[in-house]
Amino acid sequence: MAVERDLIAAIVASDAPALAQLRAVRVLALPDWCIAAGFVRNRVWDHLHGIFPPRAPADIDVLYYDASDLSKEREAECERRLDALLPGLPWQVRNQARMHVWKGLPQHTSTSDSMIYWLETVTAVGVRLEADDSLTVIAPLGTDDLLGLRCRPTAYGRTRRDEYEERIVAKRWKELWPRVQFLD
């Protein structure tokens, strides 16, 4: 597992815009933070498909966990601060301590815990830039599917099968990454 996480970290580290975005988020000093979803998945799949430079994700999903402040206002303030640091990027900051509400689930215990309730395994991977500039990969469901070019629903995603399938079509993953296998 360490080798796979190292490969993901190396792919992200080789992308100067990704590192600049990670540095900007690190400035916010958010608790239990990472950038996840398409930020990681797209870069890894582009790399494995020989697409250089990687395509920019539709949004930059910044996650953090702070049960002491569940306000949307804090998320909006973080987005404003990030836009001041790196203007014009599609920042999307979300406190994972409140994401359970709209899913009708018990409150999550951490950023990593919240990611297991995403629709597909390959999206539940994030990275955080540490103070020493090393990258930590957060992958509560592992990295095998992402690196193996396999997309499958999470346990939660299997309970929302229509949403999972609609998402794959809407995001054009089969077209963008033709080597990915879509499994059950």
Side-chain angles (χ1 to χ4, degrees):
M1 185 80 129
V3 172
E4 291 89 359
R5 289 174 188 258
D6 289 347
L7 176 56
I8 292 168
I11 290 168
V12 172
S14 71
D15 183 347
L19 287 177
Q21 293 159 15
L22 285 158
R23 283 187 192 99
V25 177
R26 183 175 63 184
V27 167
L28 301 181
L30 294 167
D32 191 17
W33 75 273
C34 68
I35 306 180
F39 179 87
V40 176
R41 182 196 58 241
N42 295 7
R43 281 179 171 84
V44 169
W45 282 357
D46 277 356
H47 176 84
L48 296 175
H49 278 78
I51 299 167
F52 298 101
R55 296 172 278 217
D59 52 30
I60 303 169
D61 292 295
V62 177
L63 317 178
Y64 69 99
Y65 188 90
D66 185 357
S68 71
D69 183 354
L70 302 181
S71 70
K72 288 183 180 183
E73 292 76 21
R74 182 166 181 212
E75 295 169 352
E77 174 58 26
C78 289
E79 289 173 359
R80 283 190 292 277
R81 289 181 62 197
L82 288 168
D83 194 53
L85 292 167
L86 289 175
L89 295 177
W91 298 107
Q92 189 172 70
V93 179
R94 297 293 179 264
N95 183 355
Q96 300 304 293
R98 69 177 191 81
M99 291 294 101
H100 66 288
V101 174
W102 66 272
K103 292 180 181 179
L105 297 168
Q107 185 171 15
H108 305 309
T109 59
S110 66
T111 294
S112 181
D113 178 54
S114 73
M115 292 165 75
I116 67 173
Y117 295 100
W118 290 5
L119 294 177
E120 60 280 335
T121 58
V122 296
T123 301
V125 180
V127 291
R128 176 176 48 245
L129 186 65
E130 303 294 352
D132 66 358
D133 283 342
S134 65
L135 287 171
T136 297
V137 175
I138 297 97
L141 300 173
T143 58
D144 290 347
D145 285 347
L146 178 63
L147 291 170
L149 295 171
R150 292 180 301 270
C151 184
R152 73 180 84 227
T154 62
Y156 179 76
R158 283 191 294 276
T159 70
R160 298 187 175 300
R161 188 58 164 197
D162 290 344
E163 288 176 45
Y164 166 78
E165 291 176 4
E166 288 168 11
R167 193 169 140 78
I168 290 168
V169 171
K171 294 195 174 267
R172 302 178 26 244
W173 290 350
K174 290 179 181 181
E175 176 187 334
L176 295 171
W177 298 287
R179 292 179 38 222
V180 173
Q181 297 175 355
F182 293 85
L183 309 170
D184 248 331

